[in-house]
Coordinates of all heavy atoms in Angstrom, one line a residue:
P1 N 11.3 -7.5 -13.1 CA 10.0 -7.9 -12.6 C 9.0 -8.2 -13.8 O 9.0 -7.4 -14.7 CB 9.5 -6.8 -11.7 CG 10.7 -5.9 -11.5 CD 11.7 -6.2 -12.6
I2 N 8.3 -9.2 -13.7 CA 7.4 -9.5 -14.8 C 5.9 -9.6 -14.3 O 5.1 -10.0 -15.1 CB 7.8 -10.9 -15.5 CG1 7.8 -12.0 -14.5 CG2 9.1 -10.7 -16.3 CD1 8.0 -13.4 -15.2
R3 N 5.7 -9.2 -13.1 CA 4.3 -9.3 -12.6 C 4.0 -8.1 -11.7 O 4.9 -7.3 -11.4 CB 4.2 -10.6 -11.7 CG 5.2 -10.7 -10.6 CD 5.0 -12.0 -9.9 NE 5.9 -12.0 -8.7 CZ 7.0 -12.6 -8.7 NH1 7.5 -13.2 -9.7 NH2 7.7 -12.6 -7.6
F4 N 2.7 -8.0 -11.4 CA 2.2 -6.9 -10.6 C 1.7 -7.5 -9.3 O 0.8 -8.3 -9.3 CB 1.1 -6.2 -11.3 CG 0.4 -5.1 -10.5 CD1 1.1 -3.9 -10.3 CD2 -0.8 -5.3 -10.0 CE1 0.5 -2.9 -9.6 CE2 -1.5 -4.3 -9.3 CZ -0.8 -3.1 -9.1
E5 N 2.5 -7.3 -8.2 CA 2.1 -7.9 -6.9 C 2.3 -6.9 -5.8 O 3.1 -6.0 -5.8 CB 3.0 -9.1 -6.6 CG 2.9 -10.2 -7.7 CD 2.9 -11.6 -7.2 OE1 2.7 -11.8 -6.0 OE2 3.3 -12.4 -8.0
V6 N 1.5 -7.1 -4.7 CA 1.5 -6.3 -3.5 C 1.5 -7.1 -2.3 O 0.8 -8.1 -2.2 CB 0.3 -5.3 -3.5 CG1 0.4 -4.4 -2.3 CG2 0.2 -4.5 -4.7
Y7 N 2.4 -6.8 -1.3 CA 2.5 -7.6 -0.1 C 2.5 -6.5 1.1 O 3.0 -5.4 0.9 CB 3.8 -8.4 0.0 CG 4.0 -9.3 -1.2 CD1 4.8 -8.9 -2.2 CD2 3.4 -10.6 -1.2 CE1 5.0 -9.8 -3.3 CE2 3.6 -11.4 -2.2 CZ 4.4 -11.0 -3.3 OH 4.6 -11.8 -4.4
A8 N 2.0 -6.9 2.2 CA 2.1 -6.1 3.4 C 2.4 -6.9 4.6 O 1.9 -8.0 4.8 CB 0.7 -5.4 3.6
Y9 N 3.4 -6.4 5.4 CA 3.9 -7.2 6.5 C 4.5 -6.2 7.5 O 5.0 -5.2 7.1 CB 4.9 -8.3 6.1 CG 6.1 -7.8 5.3 CD1 7.2 -7.4 6.0 CD2 6.0 -7.7 3.9 CE1 8.3 -6.9 5.2 CE2 7.1 -7.2 3.2 CZ 8.2 -6.8 3.9 OH 9.3 -6.3 3.2
P10 N 4.6 -6.5 8.8 CA 3.7 -7.6 9.4 C 2.3 -7.2 9.3 O 2.0 -6.0 9.1 CB 4.2 -7.6 10.8 CG 4.7 -6.3 11.1 CD 5.3 -5.8 9.8
N11 N 1.4 -8.1 9.5 CA 0.0 -7.9 9.4 C -0.7 -8.9 10.3 O -0.7 -10.0 9.9 CB -0.5 -7.9 8.0 CG -1.8 -7.3 7.8 OD1 -2.3 -6.5 8.6 ND2 -2.4 -7.5 6.6
P12 N -1.2 -8.5 11.4 CA -1.4 -7.2 12.0 C -0.1 -6.5 12.3 O 0.9 -7.1 12.5 CB -2.2 -7.4 13.3 CG -2.6 -8.8 13.3 CD -1.8 -9.5 12.3
F13 N -0.2 -5.2 12.5 CA 1.0 -4.4 12.7 C 0.8 -3.3 13.8 O -0.4 -3.0 14.1 CB 1.5 -3.7 11.5 CG 0.6 -2.6 10.9 CD1 0.9 -1.3 11.2 CD2 -0.5 -2.9 10.2 CE1 0.1 -0.3 10.7 CE2 -1.3 -1.9 9.7 CZ -1.0 -0.6 10.0
N14 N 1.9 -2.8 14.4 CA 1.8 -1.7 15.4 C 3.2 -1.1 15.5 O 4.1 -1.7 16.0 CB 1.4 -2.3 16.7 CG 1.3 -1.2 17.8 OD1 1.2 0.0 17.5 ND2 1.4 -1.6 19.0
P15 N 3.3 0.1 15.1 CA 2.5 1.0 14.3 C 2.9 1.1 12.9 O 2.3 1.7 12.1 CB 2.6 2.4 15.0 CG 4.1 2.4 15.4 CD 4.4 0.9 15.8
V16 N 4.0 0.4 12.5 CA 4.5 0.5 11.1 C 4.3 -0.8 10.3 O 4.6 -1.9 10.8 CB 6.1 0.9 11.2 CG1 6.6 1.0 9.7 CG2 6.3 2.2 11.9
C17 N 3.9 -0.6 9.1 CA 3.7 -1.7 8.2 C 4.5 -1.5 6.9 O 4.6 -0.3 6.5 CB 2.2 -1.8 7.8 SG 1.8 -3.1 6.6
E18 N 5.2 -2.5 6.5 CA 5.9 -2.4 5.2 C 5.0 -2.9 4.1 O 4.4 -4.0 4.1 CB 7.2 -3.3 5.3 CG 8.2 -3.0 6.3 CD 8.9 -1.7 6.0 OE1 9.2 -1.4 4.9 OE2 9.2 -1.0 7.0
I19 N 4.9 -2.1 3.0 CA 4.2 -2.4 1.9 C 5.2 -2.6 0.7 O 5.9 -1.6 0.4 CB 3.1 -1.3 1.5 CG1 2.2 -1.2 2.7 CG2 2.4 -1.7 0.3 CD1 1.3 0.1 2.6
E20 N 5.2 -3.8 0.2 CA 6.2 -4.1 -0.9 C 5.4 -4.3 -2.1 O 4.4 -5.0 -2.1 CB 7.0 -5.3 -0.5 CG 8.1 -5.6 -1.4 CD 8.9 -6.8 -0.8 OE1 9.7 -6.5 0.1 OE2 8.8 -7.9 -1.3
F21 N 5.8 -3.8 -3.2 CA 5.1 -4.0 -4.5 C 6.1 -4.1 -5.6 O 7.3 -3.6 -5.6 CB 4.1 -3.0 -4.8 CG 4.6 -1.6 -4.9 CD1 4.9 -1.0 -6.1 CD2 4.7 -0.8 -3.8 CE1 5.3 0.3 -6.3 CE2 5.2 0.5 -3.9 CZ 5.5 1.1 -5.1
E22 N 5.7 -4.8 -6.7 CA 6.5 -5.0 -7.8 C 5.7 -4.6 -9.1 O 4.6 -5.0 -9.2 CB 6.8 -6.5 -7.9 CG 7.8 -7.0 -8.9 CD 8.2 -8.4 -8.7 OE1 7.6 -9.1 -7.8 OE2 9.0 -8.9 -9.4
I23 N 6.4 -3.8 -9.9 CA 5.7 -3.4 -11.2 C 6.6 -3.8 -12.3 O 7.8 -3.8 -12.2 CB 5.3 -1.9 -11.2 CG1 6.5 -1.0 -10.9 CG2 4.2 -1.6 -10.2 CD1 6.2 0.5 -11.0
S24 N 6.0 -4.1 -13.5 CA 6.8 -4.6 -14.6 C 7.1 -3.6 -15.7 O 7.8 -4.0 -16.7 CB 6.0 -5.8 -15.2 OG 4.8 -5.4 -15.7
E25 N 6.6 -2.4 -15.6 CA 6.9 -1.4 -16.6 C 6.9 0.0 -16.0 O 6.3 0.2 -14.9 CB 5.9 -1.5 -17.7 CG 4.5 -1.3 -17.3 CD 3.5 -1.6 -18.4 OE1 3.8 -2.3 -19.3 OE2 2.3 -1.3 -18.2
V26 N 7.4 1.0 -16.7 CA 7.3 2.4 -16.3 C 5.9 2.8 -16.4 O 5.2 2.6 -17.5 CB 8.2 3.3 -17.2 CG1 8.0 4.7 -16.8 CG2 9.7 2.9 -17.1
T27 N 5.3 3.3 -15.3 CA 3.9 3.7 -15.3 C 3.6 4.6 -14.1 O 4.5 4.7 -13.2 CB 3.0 2.4 -15.2 OG1 1.7 2.8 -15.4 CG2 3.2 1.7 -13.9
G28 N 2.5 5.2 -14.2 CA 2.1 6.1 -13.0 C 1.6 5.1 -11.9 O 0.9 4.2 -12.1
V29 N 2.1 5.4 -10.7 CA 1.8 4.6 -9.5 C 1.1 5.5 -8.5 O 1.6 6.6 -8.2 CB 3.1 4.0 -9.0 CG1 2.8 3.2 -7.7 CG2 3.7 3.0 -10.0
R30 N 0.1 4.9 -7.9 CA -0.6 5.6 -6.7 C -0.8 4.6 -5.6 O -1.4 3.5 -5.9 CB -1.9 6.2 -7.2 CG -2.6 6.9 -6.0 CD -3.9 7.6 -6.5 NE -3.5 8.8 -7.2 CZ -4.4 9.5 -7.9 NH1 -5.6 9.2 -7.9 NH2 -4.0 10.6 -8.5
L31 N -0.3 4.9 -4.4 CA -0.5 4.0 -3.3 C -1.2 4.8 -2.2 O -0.7 5.9 -1.8 CB 0.8 3.5 -2.7 CG 0.8 2.7 -1.4 CD1 -0.1 1.4 -1.6 CD2 2.2 2.3 -1.0
E32 N -2.4 4.4 -1.9 CA -3.3 5.1 -0.9 C -3.7 4.2 0.2 O -3.9 3.0 -0.1 CB -4.5 5.7 -1.6 CG -4.1 6.7 -2.7 CD -5.2 7.1 -3.6 OE1 -6.0 6.2 -4.0 OE2 -5.4 8.3 -3.9
I33 N -3.9 4.7 1.4 CA -4.5 4.0 2.5 C -5.9 4.5 2.8 O -6.0 5.8 2.9 CB -3.6 4.1 3.7 CG1 -2.1 3.8 3.4 CG2 -4.1 3.3 4.9 CD1 -1.9 2.3 3.1
Y34 N -6.8 3.6 2.9 CA -8.2 4.0 3.3 C -8.6 3.3 4.6 O -8.1 2.2 4.9 CB -9.2 3.5 2.2 CG -9.0 4.2 0.8 CD1 -8.0 3.8 -0.1 CD2 -9.7 5.3 0.5 CE1 -7.9 4.4 -1.3 CE2 -9.6 6.0 -0.7 CZ -8.6 5.5 -1.6 OH -8.4 6.2 -2.8
D35 N -9.5 4.0 5.3 CA -10.0 3.3 6.5 C -11.2 2.4 6.0 O -11.5 2.4 4.8 CB -10.5 4.3 7.6 CG -11.7 5.2 7.2 OD1 -12.4 4.9 6.2 OD2 -11.9 6.2 7.9
I36 N -11.7 1.6 6.9 CA -12.7 0.6 6.4 C -14.0 1.2 5.9 O -14.7 0.6 5.1 CB -13.0 -0.4 7.6 CG1 -13.6 -1.7 7.1 CG2 -13.8 0.2 8.7 CD1 -12.8 -2.5 6.2
S37 N -14.3 2.5 6.2 CA -15.5 3.1 5.7 C -15.2 3.8 4.3 O -16.1 4.4 3.7 CB -16.0 4.1 6.7 OG -15.1 5.2 6.8
G38 N -14.0 3.6 3.8 CA -13.6 4.2 2.5 C -13.1 5.6 2.4 O -12.9 6.1 1.3
R39 N -12.8 6.2 3.6 CA -12.2 7.5 3.6 C -10.7 7.4 3.4 O -10.0 6.6 4.0 CB -12.5 8.2 5.0 CG -13.9 8.6 5.1 CD -14.1 9.3 6.4 NE -13.8 8.4 7.5 CZ -14.6 8.1 8.5 NH1 -15.7 8.8 8.7 NH2 -14.3 7.2 9.4
L40 N -10.2 8.3 2.6 CA -8.7 8.3 2.3 C -8.0 8.8 3.6 O -8.3 9.8 4.2 CB -8.4 9.3 1.2 CG -7.0 9.5 0.8 CD1 -6.4 8.2 0.3 CD2 -6.8 10.6 -0.2
V41 N -7.1 8.0 4.1 CA -6.3 8.3 5.3 C -4.9 8.9 4.9 O -4.5 9.8 5.5 CB -6.1 7.0 6.1 CG1 -5.1 7.3 7.3 CG2 -7.4 6.5 6.6
S42 N -4.3 8.3 3.8 CA -3.0 8.8 3.4 C -2.7 8.5 2.0 O -3.1 7.4 1.5 CB -1.9 8.1 4.3 OG -0.6 8.4 3.9
R43 N -2.1 9.4 1.2 CA -1.7 9.1 -0.1 C -0.1 9.1 0.0 O 0.5 10.1 0.2 CB -2.1 10.2 -1.1 CG -1.6 9.9 -2.5 CD -2.2 10.8 -3.5 NE -3.6 10.4 -3.7 CZ -4.6 11.3 -3.8 NH1 -4.4 12.6 -3.7 NH2 -5.9 10.9 -3.9
I44 N 0.4 7.9 -0.1 CA 1.8 7.7 0.1 C 2.6 7.9 -1.2 O 3.7 8.5 -1.1 CB 2.1 6.2 0.6 CG1 1.3 6.0 1.9 CG2 3.5 6.0 0.8 CD1 1.3 4.6 2.4
I45 N 2.1 7.5 -2.3 CA 2.8 7.7 -3.6 C 1.8 8.1 -4.6 O 0.7 7.6 -4.7 CB 3.4 6.3 -4.1 CG1 4.5 5.8 -3.1 CG2 4.0 6.5 -5.5 CD1 5.0 4.4 -3.5
D46 N 2.2 9.1 -5.5 CA 1.5 9.5 -6.6 C 2.4 10.1 -7.7 O 2.6 11.3 -7.8 CB 0.4 10.5 -6.2 CG -0.6 10.8 -7.4 OD1 -0.5 10.2 -8.4 OD2 -1.4 11.7 -7.2
E47 N 3.1 9.2 -8.4 CA 4.1 9.6 -9.3 C 4.4 8.5 -10.3 O 4.0 7.3 -10.2 CB 5.4 9.9 -8.6 CG 6.0 8.7 -7.8 CD 7.2 9.1 -7.0 OE1 7.0 9.8 -6.0 OE2 8.3 8.7 -7.3
E48 N 5.2 8.8 -11.4 CA 5.6 7.8 -12.4 C 6.8 7.1 -11.8 O 7.7 7.7 -11.2 CB 5.9 8.5 -13.7 CG 6.2 7.5 -14.8 CD 6.1 8.1 -16.1 OE1 5.1 8.5 -16.5 OE2 7.2 8.0 -16.8
M49 N 6.8 5.8 -11.9 CA 7.9 5.0 -11.4 C 8.4 4.0 -12.5 O 7.6 3.5 -13.3 CB 7.5 4.2 -10.1 CG 7.0 5.2 -9.0 SD 6.4 4.3 -7.6 CE 8.0 3.9 -6.8
A50 N 9.7 3.6 -12.4 CA 10.3 2.6 -13.3 C 9.9 1.2 -12.8 O 9.5 1.0 -11.6 CB 11.8 2.8 -13.3
A51 N 10.0 0.3 -13.7 CA 9.8 -1.1 -13.3 C 10.8 -1.5 -12.2 O 11.9 -1.0 -12.2 CB 10.0 -2.0 -14.5
G52 N 10.3 -2.3 -11.3 CA 11.2 -2.8 -10.2 C 10.4 -3.2 -9.0 O 9.2 -3.2 -9.0
L53 N 11.1 -3.5 -7.9 CA 10.6 -3.9 -6.6 C 10.8 -2.7 -5.7 O 11.9 -2.2 -5.6 CB 11.3 -5.1 -6.1 CG 10.9 -5.7 -4.8 CD1 9.5 -6.2 -4.9 CD2 11.9 -6.8 -4.4
Y54 N 9.7 -2.4 -5.0 CA 9.7 -1.2 -4.1 C 9.2 -1.6 -2.7 O 8.3 -2.5 -2.6 CB 8.9 -0.1 -4.6 CG 9.3 0.5 -5.9 CD1 8.9 0.0 -7.1 CD2 10.2 1.5 -5.9 CE1 9.4 0.5 -8.3 CE2 10.7 2.1 -7.1 CZ 10.3 1.5 -8.3 OH 10.7 2.0 -9.5
R55 N 9.8 -1.0 -1.6 CA 9.3 -1.2 -0.3 C 9.1 0.1 0.4 O 10.0 1.0 0.4 CB 10.3 -2.0 0.5 CG 9.8 -2.3 1.9 CD 10.8 -3.2 2.7 NE 11.0 -4.4 2.0 CZ 12.2 -5.1 1.9 NH1 13.2 -4.5 2.5 NH2 12.3 -6.2 1.3
I56 N 7.8 0.4 0.9 CA 7.4 1.6 1.5 C 6.9 1.3 2.9 O 6.2 0.4 3.1 CB 6.3 2.3 0.6 CG1 6.7 2.4 -0.8 CG2 5.9 3.6 1.2 CD1 7.8 3.4 -1.1
S57 N 7.3 2.2 3.8 CA 6.7 2.0 5.2 C 5.6 3.0 5.4 O 5.6 4.1 4.9 CB 7.8 2.4 6.2 OG 8.9 1.5 6.2
W58 N 4.5 2.5 6.0 CA 3.4 3.3 6.4 C 3.3 3.3 7.9 O 3.2 2.2 8.6 CB 2.1 2.8 5.8 CG 0.9 3.7 6.3 CD1 0.8 5.1 6.1 CD2 -0.2 3.3 7.0 NE1 -0.3 5.5 6.7 CE2 -1.0 4.4 7.2 CE3 -0.7 2.1 7.4 CZ2 -2.2 4.4 7.9 CZ3 -1.9 2.0 8.1 CH2 -2.7 3.2 8.3
D59 N 3.4 4.4 8.5 CA 3.3 4.6 10.0 C 1.9 4.9 10.4 O 1.4 6.0 10.1 CB 4.3 5.6 10.5 CG 4.4 5.7 12.0 OD1 3.5 5.2 12.7 OD2 5.4 6.4 12.4
G60 N 1.2 4.0 11.0 CA -0.2 4.2 11.4 C -0.3 4.8 12.8 O -1.4 4.7 13.4
A61 N 0.7 5.3 13.4 CA 0.7 5.7 14.8 C -0.4 6.7 15.2 O -0.9 6.8 16.3 CB 2.1 6.2 15.3
E62 N -0.7 7.6 14.2 CA -1.6 8.7 14.4 C -3.1 8.2 14.1 O -4.0 9.0 14.2 CB -1.3 9.9 13.6 CG 0.0 10.5 14.1 CD 0.3 11.8 13.3 OE1 -0.6 12.4 12.7 OE2 1.5 12.2 13.4
N63 N -3.3 7.0 13.8 CA -4.6 6.4 13.5 C -5.1 5.5 14.5 O -4.3 4.8 15.2 CB -4.5 5.7 12.1 CG -4.1 6.7 11.0 OD1 -4.9 7.5 10.6 ND2 -2.9 6.5 10.5
P64 N -6.4 5.4 14.7 CA -6.9 4.4 15.7 C -6.7 3.0 15.2 O -6.6 2.7 14.0 CB -8.4 4.8 15.8 CG -8.7 5.4 14.5 CD -7.4 6.1 14.0
S65 N -6.8 2.0 16.1 CA -6.7 0.6 15.8 C -7.9 0.3 14.9 O -9.0 0.9 14.9 CB -6.9 -0.2 17.1 OG -5.8 -0.1 17.9
G66 N -7.7 -0.6 14.0 CA -8.8 -1.0 13.1 C -8.2 -1.6 11.8 O -7.0 -1.8 11.6
T67 N -9.1 -1.8 10.8 CA -8.8 -2.3 9.5 C -8.7 -1.2 8.5 O -9.5 -0.3 8.5 CB -9.9 -3.3 9.1 OG1 -10.0 -4.4 10.1 CG2 -9.6 -3.9 7.7
Y68 N -7.6 -1.3 7.7 CA -7.3 -0.3 6.7 C -7.1 -1.1 5.4 O -6.9 -2.3 5.4 CB -6.1 0.5 7.0 CG -6.3 1.4 8.2 CD1 -6.1 0.9 9.5 CD2 -6.8 2.7 8.1 CE1 -6.4 1.7 10.6 CE2 -7.0 3.5 9.2 CZ -6.8 2.9 10.5 OH -7.0 3.7 11.6
L69 N -7.3 -0.3 4.3 CA -7.0 -0.9 3.0 C -5.9 -0.2 2.3 O -6.0 1.1 2.2 CB -8.3 -0.9 2.1 CG -9.5 -1.6 2.8 CD1 -10.8 -1.3 1.9 CD2 -9.3 -3.0 2.9
A70 N -4.9 -0.9 1.8 CA -3.9 -0.3 1.0 C -4.2 -0.6 -0.5 O -4.4 -1.7 -0.9 CB -2.5 -1.0 1.3
R71 N -4.4 0.5 -1.2 CA -4.8 0.4 -2.6 C -3.7 0.8 -3.5 O -3.3 2.0 -3.4 CB -6.1 1.2 -2.9 CG -6.5 1.1 -4.3 CD -7.8 1.9 -4.5 NE -8.0 2.1 -5.9 CZ -8.9 2.9 -6.4 NH1 -9.7 3.6 -5.6 NH2 -9.1 3.1 -7.7
L72 N -3.1 -0.1 -4.3 CA -2.1 0.3 -5.2 C -2.6 0.2 -6.7 O -3.2 -0.8 -7.1 CB -0.9 -0.7 -5.1 CG 0.3 -0.5 -6.1 CD1 1.1 0.7 -5.7 CD2 1.1 -1.7 -6.2
T73 N -2.4 1.4 -7.4 CA -2.8 1.4 -8.8 C -1.6 1.7 -9.6 O -0.8 2.7 -9.3 CB -3.9 2.5 -9.0 OG1 -5.0 2.3 -8.2 CG2 -4.3 2.6 -10.5
A74 N -1.3 0.9 -10.6 CA -0.2 1.1 -11.5 C -0.7 0.9 -12.9 O -1.0 -0.2 -13.3 CB 0.9 0.1 -11.1
G75 N -0.7 2.0 -13.6 CA -1.3 2.0 -15.0 C -2.8 1.6 -14.9 O -3.5 2.2 -14.1
N76 N -3.2 0.5 -15.5 CA -4.6 0.1 -15.5 C -4.8 -1.1 -14.6 O -5.9 -1.7 -14.6 CB -5.1 -0.3 -16.9 CG -4.3 -1.4 -17.5 OD1 -3.3 -1.9 -16.9 ND2 -4.7 -1.8 -18.7
K77 N -3.9 -1.4 -13.7 CA -4.0 -2.5 -12.7 C -4.1 -1.9 -11.3 O -3.5 -0.9 -10.9 CB -2.7 -3.3 -12.8 CG -2.5 -4.0 -14.1 CD -1.2 -4.7 -14.1 CE -0.9 -5.2 -15.6 NZ 0.4 -5.8 -15.6
T78 N -5.0 -2.6 -10.5 CA -5.2 -2.2 -9.2 C -5.2 -3.4 -8.3 O -5.8 -4.4 -8.6 CB -6.6 -1.4 -9.0 OG1 -6.5 -0.3 -9.8 CG2 -6.8 -1.0 -7.6
E79 N -4.6 -3.3 -7.1 CA -4.6 -4.4 -6.1 C -4.9 -3.7 -4.8 O -4.5 -2.6 -4.5 CB -3.2 -5.0 -6.0 CG -2.9 -5.9 -7.1 CD -3.6 -7.3 -7.1 OE1 -3.9 -7.8 -6.0 OE2 -3.8 -7.8 -8.2
V80 N -5.6 -4.4 -3.9 CA -6.0 -3.9 -2.6 C -5.6 -5.0 -1.6 O -5.8 -6.2 -1.8 CB -7.5 -3.7 -2.5 CG1 -7.9 -3.2 -1.1 CG2 -7.9 -2.6 -3.5
R81 N -5.0 -4.5 -0.5 CA -4.6 -5.4 0.6 C -5.2 -4.9 1.9 O -5.1 -3.7 2.1 CB -3.1 -5.5 0.7 CG -2.4 -6.3 -0.4 CD -2.7 -7.7 -0.4 NE -2.1 -8.4 -1.5 CZ -2.7 -8.6 -2.7 NH1 -4.0 -8.2 -2.9 NH2 -2.1 -9.3 -3.7
R82 N -5.7 -5.8 2.7 CA -6.2 -5.4 4.0 C -5.1 -5.4 5.0 O -4.2 -6.2 5.1 CB -7.2 -6.5 4.4 CG -8.0 -6.2 5.7 CD -9.0 -7.2 6.0 NE -8.5 -8.5 6.1 CZ -8.2 -9.1 7.2 NH1 -8.5 -8.6 8.4 NH2 -7.7 -10.3 7.3
L83 N -5.1 -4.3 5.8 CA -4.1 -4.1 6.9 C -4.8 -4.0 8.2 O -5.9 -3.3 8.3 CB -3.3 -2.8 6.6 CG -2.7 -2.6 5.3 CD1 -2.1 -1.2 5.2 CD2 -1.7 -3.6 5.0
V84 N -4.3 -4.6 9.2 CA -4.9 -4.5 10.6 C -3.9 -3.8 11.5 O -2.8 -4.4 11.8 CB -5.3 -5.9 11.1 CG1 -5.9 -5.8 12.5 CG2 -6.3 -6.5 10.1
L85 N -4.3 -2.7 12.0 CA -3.5 -1.9 13.0 C -4.0 -2.3 14.4 O -5.2 -2.0 14.7 CB -3.7 -0.4 12.7 CG -3.0 0.5 13.7 CD1 -1.5 0.3 13.9 CD2 -3.3 2.0 13.3
L86 N -3.2 -2.9 15.2 CA -3.5 -3.2 16.6 C -2.6 -2.4 17.5 O -1.4 -2.5 17.5 CB -3.3 -4.7 16.9 CG -4.2 -5.7 16.1 CD1 -3.8 -7.1 16.5 CD2 -5.7 -5.4 16.5
K87 N -3.2 -1.6 18.4 CA -2.5 -0.9 19.4 C -2.6 -1.4 20.7 O -3.6 -2.1 21.1 CB -2.9 0.6 19.4 CG -2.5 1.3 18.1 CD -2.8 2.8 18.2 CE -2.3 3.4 16.9 NZ -2.6 4.9 17.0

């Protein structure tokens, strides 16, 4: 992988969303889900990871319908994707 990218599908989802990301070097990675008001809902990853393509599932079954933000930080790069949970 030579780029830093984040994808989320399906979107809207019910109740599981796949978050796929690609990192180009060994670095600390943090993947967090926030609700639309900015409260942390879930910290999915917080560890050092090797370069590569990763796919993580987030199960929103215990959360209310609404808009969420998936924030991926890898090293000094950050990407945010909007997720819509429809029940």
Side-chain angles (χ1 to χ4, degrees):
I2 57 172
R3 59 186 185 259
F4 176 72
E5 300 216 21
V6 181
Y7 306 96
Y9 55 91
N11 198 13
F13 68 100
N14 179 22
V16 177
C17 179
E18 298 289 325
I19 300 168
E20 187 173 285
F21 61 94
E22 190 172 359
I23 54 176
S24 60
E25 61 189 14
V26 175
T27 190
V29 175
R30 181 177 284 173
L31 177 59
E32 299 169 316
I33 307 295
Y34 293 87
D35 66 16
I36 197 66
S37 65
R39 287 182 297 231
L40 180 65
V41 173
S42 177
R43 180 168 291 135
I44 301 171
I45 298 172
D46 190 6
E47 63 187 67
E48 187 165 297
M49 300 177 81
L53 179 65
Y54 296 89
R55 183 177 300 141
I56 306 295
S57 294
W58 179 57
D59 187 345
E62 294 184 16
N63 297 291
S65 294
T67 301
Y68 294 85
L69 302 172
R71 178 179 166 189
L72 178 73
T73 302
N76 62 357
K77 300 174 184 173
T78 299
E79 288 283 331
V80 177
R81 292 291 177 265
R82 185 174 60 99
L83 309 174
V84 178
L85 173 59
L86 293 177
K87 292 186 175 182

